Every structure is written in C-alpha cells, then in structure tokens.
Amino acid sequence: MHSSWKATTTGRALVMRRRVCMRTTAAGLLLSLLVGGCAVGGDEPKEPTTEIDTSPKAFTEYSGVPLPEGIKEPDITAEYDDQGNVVYNVLFSATSQQAEKVCEEVGNWLPRSQGVSEEEREKLGIDADAVTAAGDNVRGCSAVDQETGTHTEGIVLYPDDDSADVYLITHTLGR
C-alpha cells in the first residue's frame, strides 16, 4: 500500500505542478498581450509639444557636431519625424578647410566616387544643379555620436577650389 500511496501522491504533485505551470504561462501570455497592446498604441506618432530651436548652438548640443566659426549664418531647419524625434537639416557654405573640419568631427570622412544618389539629394535637400557644379569633387561623412545618441550624415560639394557647400542631417537613432 505504501508504494501505491506514494505513486498517487507523486501523480497528484505532478498534476498540481502542471496546473501551476499552465496558470503561470497563461498569466505570462495575458501580461504579454496587455503590454503588447500598450506598445502598439505607443507606436503612434507623438504630437510635437514644443517648437524646435534651430540655432547653431541648439544643433551642436543635439548632434555633438560643432559648426565652424566665421561662416555665414547656416540654414538650419528642424522637424519632428513620425515617432516624434527631432531631425535637423543644416546647410552652409564655408572654406574647404572649414568643411573638412566639420566632417572630420562627424567621422568616416571619405571621397564619394559614386557622387550623390537621388535618395541622398532628397534626404539632405541638395539641389541637382549643386551636384552638377561640384562634378566629381564630392566627399561624405557619416557616424553615430555615442554621447548624444544621434546619427549624422553629411555631403560636401566643392563647386570650386576655395569653397565648399556642406549638407548635414542629424536624427536620433532608432529611426
């Protein structure tokens, strides 16, 4: 009798463990669905709550990329993307040395043998005539700033030997 009682008790214990496990699994699934439902709602576009500061100082604080001193007032625009993150577009003309210094700050400063793609032109706001004027004299830079969590891409066009036009776009990672 002792062995059948032990088998019955062991069988009951297994059944109870299974029930607890099933209940735990069901509770976990329910929690996942609830959290998942909340996350879906979180993917909706956020409504911008404030106007974006488009000063050179604000851009530098956001991107970690300092703009050169002595350049004419840069054209800086900013908007919110679909997730409510700020996206800066910057355009300025500078000397070749100033442009190179900015892109060296960004990182991955390389010649662009393929020129500028249509997608890049649209994303950075580059006029087709500017690309034509620069010819093959195009360089680019692109890097992630670990401190700010932003990604900056840049294209530098050299319309002549002394000047450069710099186009930058910076956005938060996860875009």
Side-chain angles (χ1 to χ4, degrees):
M1 245 197 192
H2 186 270
S3 63
S4 68
W5 177 80
K6 189 176 183 180
T8 304
T9 306
T10 305
R12 285 183 186 154
L14 284 174
V15 168
M16 291 191 65
R17 280 191 212 138
R18 285 184 187 147
R19 285 182 184 161
V20 168
C21 184
M22 287 175 22
R23 287 180 183 152
T24 303
T25 302
L29 284 172
L30 180 60
L31 184 60
S32 295
L33 290 172
L34 289 172
V35 170
C38 292
V40 170
D43 287 344
E44 292 178 19
K46 298 175 189 172
E47 289 297 318
T49 57
T50 60
E51 191 171 315
I52 304 167
D53 184 353
T54 57
S55 69
K57 181 181 176 185
F59 168 75
T60 297
E61 287 174 359
Y62 180 79
S63 67
V65 178
L67 297 178
E69 291 183 28
I71 61 171
K72 292 181 184 176
E73 190 67 28
D75 180 16
I76 302 175
T77 60
E79 63 186 7
Y80 290 98
D81 66 10
D82 293 340
Q83 286 76 43
N85 299 313
V86 175
V87 179
Y88 274 96
N89 279 81
V90 179
L91 163 63
F92 63 91
S93 295
T95 66
S96 298
Q97 294 81 16
Q98 289 171 318
E100 290 167 11
K101 186 175 179 180
V102 168
C103 272
E104 286 170 358
E105 286 285 331
V106 170
N108 301 313
W109 176 230
L110 301 167
R112 302 286 304 256
S113 59
Q114 297 90 13
V116 181
S117 72
E118 182 69 29
E119 179 184 341
E120 290 170 321
R121 279 190 31 239
E122 285 181 27
K123 181 169 50 171
L124 293 161
I126 303 173
D127 187 65
D129 293 337
V131 174
T132 303
D136 293 335
N137 206 356
V138 178
R139 294 193 72 162
C141 51
S142 178
V144 174
D145 186 303
Q146 297 299 319
E147 289 182 30
T148 63
T150 58
H151 180 235
T152 300
E153 297 175 65
I155 298 287
V156 179
L157 304 177
Y158 297 90
D160 57 52
D161 293 335
D162 299 324
S163 63
D165 295 324
V166 180
Y167 300 83
L168 301 172
I169 186 168
T170 301
H171 55 84
T172 303
L173 290 175
R175 249 185 111 213

Coordinates of all heavy atoms in Angstrom, one line a residue, residues 56-92:
P56 N 22.5 77.5 -34.2 CA 23.7 76.7 -34.3 C 24.0 76.0 -33.0 O 24.4 74.9 -33.0 CB 24.7 77.7 -34.8 CG 24.0 78.7 -35.5 CD 22.7 78.9 -34.8
K57 N 23.8 76.8 -31.9 CA 24.1 76.2 -30.6 C 23.2 75.0 -30.3 O 23.7 74.0 -29.8 CB 24.0 77.3 -29.5 CG 24.3 76.8 -28.1 CD 24.1 77.8 -27.1 CE 24.3 77.3 -25.7 NZ 24.1 78.2 -24.6
A58 N 21.9 75.1 -30.6 CA 21.0 74.0 -30.3 C 21.3 72.8 -31.2 O 21.3 71.7 -30.7 CB 19.6 74.5 -30.6
F59 N 21.7 73.0 -32.4 CA 22.1 71.9 -33.3 C 23.3 71.2 -32.8 O 23.4 70.0 -32.7 CB 22.4 72.4 -34.7 CG 23.1 71.4 -35.6 CD1 22.4 70.3 -36.1 CD2 24.4 71.5 -35.8 CE1 23.0 69.3 -36.8 CE2 25.1 70.5 -36.6 CZ 24.3 69.4 -37.1
T60 N 24.3 72.0 -32.3 CA 25.6 71.4 -31.8 C 25.3 70.6 -30.5 O 25.8 69.5 -30.4 CB 26.6 72.5 -31.5 OG1 27.0 73.1 -32.8 CG2 27.9 71.9 -30.9
E61 N 24.4 71.1 -29.6 CA 24.1 70.4 -28.4 C 23.4 69.1 -28.8 O 23.6 68.1 -28.1 CB 23.2 71.2 -27.5 CG 24.0 72.4 -26.8 CD 23.1 73.3 -26.1 OE1 21.8 73.1 -26.0 OE2 23.6 74.3 -25.5
Y62 N 22.5 69.1 -29.8 CA 21.7 67.9 -30.2 C 22.6 66.9 -30.8 O 22.5 65.7 -30.5 CB 20.6 68.3 -31.1 CG 19.7 67.2 -31.6 CD1 18.7 66.7 -30.8 CD2 19.9 66.7 -32.9 CE1 18.0 65.6 -31.2 CE2 19.1 65.6 -33.3 CZ 18.2 65.1 -32.5 OH 17.4 64.1 -32.9
S63 N 23.5 67.3 -31.7 CA 24.2 66.4 -32.6 C 25.6 66.1 -32.1 O 26.2 65.1 -32.4 CB 24.4 67.0 -34.0 OG 25.2 68.2 -33.9
G64 N 26.2 67.0 -31.3 CA 27.6 66.8 -30.9 C 28.6 67.3 -32.0 O 29.8 67.1 -31.8
V65 N 28.0 67.9 -33.0 CA 28.9 68.4 -34.1 C 29.0 69.9 -34.1 O 28.0 70.6 -34.3 CB 28.3 68.0 -35.5 CG1 29.1 68.5 -36.6 CG2 28.2 66.5 -35.6
P66 N 30.1 70.5 -33.8 CA 30.3 71.9 -33.8 C 30.4 72.5 -35.2 O 31.0 71.9 -36.0 CB 31.6 72.2 -33.0 CG 32.3 70.9 -33.1 CD 31.3 69.8 -33.3
L67 N 29.6 73.6 -35.4 CA 29.7 74.3 -36.7 C 30.9 75.2 -36.6 O 31.2 75.8 -35.6 CB 28.4 75.0 -37.0 CG 27.2 74.1 -37.2 CD1 26.0 74.9 -37.4 CD2 27.4 73.1 -38.2
P68 N 31.6 75.4 -37.8 CA 32.8 76.3 -37.7 C 32.5 77.8 -37.5 O 31.4 78.3 -37.9 CB 33.4 76.1 -39.1 CG 32.4 75.5 -40.0 CD 31.3 74.9 -39.1
E69 N 33.4 78.4 -36.8 CA 33.2 79.8 -36.5 C 33.6 80.6 -37.8 O 34.4 80.1 -38.6 CB 34.1 80.3 -35.4 CG 33.7 79.8 -34.1 CD 34.6 80.3 -32.9 OE1 35.1 81.4 -33.1 OE2 34.7 79.6 -31.9
G70 N 32.9 81.7 -38.0 CA 33.3 82.6 -39.2 C 32.5 82.3 -40.4 O 32.7 82.9 -41.5
I71 N 31.6 81.3 -40.4 CA 30.8 81.0 -41.6 C 29.6 81.9 -41.6 O 29.2 82.5 -40.5 CB 30.3 79.5 -41.7 CG1 29.4 79.2 -40.5 CG2 31.5 78.6 -41.8 CD1 28.7 77.8 -40.6
K72 N 29.0 82.2 -42.8 CA 27.8 82.9 -42.8 C 26.7 82.1 -42.1 O 26.9 80.9 -41.9 CB 27.3 83.1 -44.3 CG 28.3 84.0 -45.1 CD 27.7 84.1 -46.5 CE 28.7 85.0 -47.3 NZ 28.3 85.0 -48.7
E73 N 25.7 82.8 -41.7 CA 24.6 82.2 -40.9 C 24.2 80.9 -41.7 O 23.7 80.9 -42.8 CB 23.4 83.1 -40.8 CG 22.4 82.7 -39.8 CD 22.9 82.6 -38.4 OE1 23.8 83.4 -38.0 OE2 22.3 81.8 -37.6
P74 N 24.3 79.7 -41.0 CA 23.9 78.5 -41.6 C 22.4 78.4 -41.7 O 21.6 79.0 -40.9 CB 24.4 77.4 -40.7 CG 24.6 78.1 -39.4 CD 24.8 79.5 -39.7
D75 N 21.9 77.7 -42.7 CA 20.5 77.4 -42.9 C 20.1 76.2 -42.1 O 20.5 75.1 -42.5 CB 20.1 77.3 -44.4 CG 18.7 77.0 -44.7 OD1 17.8 77.2 -43.7 OD2 18.3 76.5 -45.8
I76 N 19.5 76.3 -41.0 CA 19.2 75.2 -40.1 C 17.6 75.1 -40.0 O 17.0 76.0 -39.7 CB 19.8 75.4 -38.7 CG1 21.3 75.5 -38.8 CG2 19.4 74.2 -37.8 CD1 21.9 75.8 -37.5
T77 N 17.2 73.9 -40.4 CA 15.7 73.6 -40.2 C 15.6 72.3 -39.3 O 16.6 71.5 -39.3 CB 15.0 73.3 -41.6 OG1 15.6 72.2 -42.2 CG2 15.1 74.6 -42.4
A78 N 14.5 72.2 -38.7 CA 14.3 71.0 -37.9 C 12.8 70.7 -37.9 O 11.9 71.6 -37.9 CB 14.8 71.3 -36.4
E79 N 12.5 69.4 -37.8 CA 11.1 69.0 -37.7 C 11.1 67.7 -36.9 O 12.1 67.1 -36.6 CB 10.6 68.8 -39.1 CG 11.3 67.7 -39.9 CD 10.8 67.6 -41.3 OE1 10.0 68.5 -41.8 OE2 11.2 66.7 -42.0
Y80 N 9.9 67.3 -36.6 CA 9.6 66.0 -35.9 C 9.4 64.9 -36.9 O 8.7 65.2 -37.9 CB 8.5 66.1 -34.9 CG 8.7 67.0 -33.7 CD1 8.3 68.3 -33.7 CD2 9.4 66.5 -32.6 CE1 8.5 69.1 -32.6 CE2 9.6 67.3 -31.5 CZ 9.2 68.7 -31.5 OH 9.4 69.5 -30.4
D81 N 10.0 63.8 -36.7 CA 9.7 62.6 -37.6 C 8.4 62.0 -37.1 O 7.7 62.4 -36.2 CB 10.9 61.7 -37.7 CG 11.2 61.0 -36.3 OD1 10.4 61.0 -35.4 OD2 12.2 60.3 -36.3
D82 N 8.1 60.8 -37.7 CA 6.8 60.1 -37.4 C 6.8 59.6 -35.9 O 5.7 59.4 -35.4 CB 6.6 58.9 -38.3 CG 6.3 59.4 -39.7 OD1 5.9 60.6 -39.9 OD2 6.5 58.6 -40.7
Q83 N 8.0 59.4 -35.3 CA 8.0 58.9 -33.9 C 8.1 60.1 -32.9 O 8.3 59.8 -31.7 CB 9.2 58.0 -33.7 CG 9.0 56.6 -34.4 CD 9.1 56.6 -35.9 OE1 10.0 57.2 -36.4 NE2 8.2 55.9 -36.6
G84 N 8.1 61.3 -33.4 CA 8.2 62.4 -32.5 C 9.6 62.9 -32.2 O 9.9 63.7 -31.3
N85 N 10.6 62.3 -32.9 CA 12.0 62.7 -32.7 C 12.4 63.8 -33.6 O 11.9 64.0 -34.7 CB 12.9 61.5 -33.0 CG 12.7 60.3 -32.1 OD1 12.6 60.4 -30.9 ND2 12.5 59.1 -32.7
V86 N 13.3 64.6 -33.1 CA 13.8 65.8 -33.9 C 14.8 65.3 -35.0 O 15.6 64.5 -34.8 CB 14.5 66.8 -32.9 CG1 15.1 67.9 -33.7 CG2 13.6 67.3 -31.9
V87 N 14.6 66.0 -36.2 CA 15.5 65.8 -37.3 C 16.0 67.1 -37.7 O 15.2 68.0 -38.1 CB 14.8 65.0 -38.5 CG1 15.8 64.9 -39.6 CG2 14.2 63.7 -38.0
Y88 N 17.3 67.3 -37.7 CA 17.9 68.6 -38.1 C 18.5 68.5 -39.5 O 19.1 67.4 -39.8 CB 19.0 69.0 -37.2 CG 18.7 69.8 -36.0 CD1 18.5 69.1 -34.8 CD2 18.5 71.2 -36.0 CE1 18.2 69.8 -33.6 CE2 18.2 71.9 -34.9 CZ 18.0 71.2 -33.7 OH 17.7 71.9 -32.5
N89 N 18.2 69.5 -40.4 CA 18.9 69.6 -41.7 C 19.7 70.9 -41.6 O 19.1 71.9 -41.2 CB 17.9 69.6 -42.8 CG 17.5 68.3 -43.2 OD1 16.6 67.7 -42.6 ND2 18.0 67.7 -44.2
V90 N 21.0 70.8 -42.0 CA 21.8 72.0 -42.0 C 22.5 72.2 -43.3 O 23.0 71.2 -43.9 CB 22.9 71.9 -40.8 CG1 23.8 73.1 -40.8 CG2 22.2 71.6 -39.5
L91 N 22.6 73.4 -43.8 CA 23.3 73.8 -45.0 C 24.1 75.0 -44.7 O 23.6 76.0 -44.2 CB 22.3 74.0 -46.1 CG 22.9 74.8 -47.4 CD1 24.0 74.0 -48.1 CD2 21.7 75.1 -48.3
F92 N 25.4 75.0 -45.1 CA 26.2 76.2 -45.0 C 27.3 76.1 -46.0 O 27.7 75.0 -46.5 CB 26.7 76.4 -43.6 CG 27.7 75.4 -43.1 CD1 29.0 75.5 -43.3 CD2 27.2 74.3 -42.4 CE1 29.9 74.5 -42.8 CE2 28.1 73.3 -41.9 CZ 29.4 73.4 -42.1

